[in-house]
């Protein structure tokens, strides 16, 4: 279960959704779900446990985890609206 869900809008359009979570076990469950949906990571990408990215034409999915705090987040971002939000993009 997420500890927090945050929605961000640009001009009344959903730009991103951020799910916050706690614990390495939840990170592993989310990683498995994201790999099933968006594609397997390479072995090198799997070793980088702090962050995993799935980049698409219309959206970006970012799974991150802070080992020291035991907290992480899962972002779903619209590439087009994110560029508008940031003025130029990621």
């Amino acid at each position: 279960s997420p500890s927090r869900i945050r929605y961000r809008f640009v001009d009344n359009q959903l730009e991103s959704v951020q799910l916050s979570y706690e614990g390495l076990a939840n990170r592993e469950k989310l990683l498995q779900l994201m790999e099933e949906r968006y594609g397997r990571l390479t072995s090198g990408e799997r070793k980088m446990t702090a962050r995993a990215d799935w980049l698409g034409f219309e959206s970006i999915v970012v799974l991150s985890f802070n080992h020291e705090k035991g907290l992480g987040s899962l972002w779903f971002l619209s590439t087009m609206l994110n560029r508008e939000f940031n003025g130029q993009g990621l």
Side-chain angles (χ1 to χ4, degrees):
S1 298
S3 56
R4 182 178 84 176
I5 300 175
R6 187 176 107 181
Y7 303 93
R8 194 163 63 186
F9 293 86
V10 173
D11 297 327
N12 291 321
Q13 294 182 311
L14 182 62
E15 179 267 340
S16 63
V17 176
Q18 178 194 23
L19 301 154
S20 298
Y21 64 92
E22 297 179 15
L24 188 58
N26 285 324
R27 185 234 182 240
E28 293 305 317
K29 289 177 188 176
L30 287 168
L31 178 62
Q32 182 179 7
L33 287 170
M34 295 305 102
E35 282 189 316
E36 288 173 7
R37 176 69 172 104
Y38 299 107
R40 294 256 177 238
L41 298 174
T42 66
S43 60
E45 290 170 325
R46 276 191 150 275
K47 290 178 185 176
M48 298 177 58
T49 59
R51 182 174 168 147
D53 299 340
W54 290 268
L55 307 174
F57 180 72
E58 294 181 350
S59 61
I60 299 169
V61 177
V62 179
L63 178 64
S64 62
F65 187 72
N66 182 318
H67 287 274
E68 292 176 12
K69 295 181 180 180
L71 302 173
S73 63
L74 175 62
W75 283 87
F76 298 92
L77 301 115
S78 161
T79 53
M80 181 183 72
L81 294 173
N82 185 262
R83 279 188 217 106
E84 288 181 31
F85 182 81
N86 289 315
Q88 59 187 322
L90 290 173

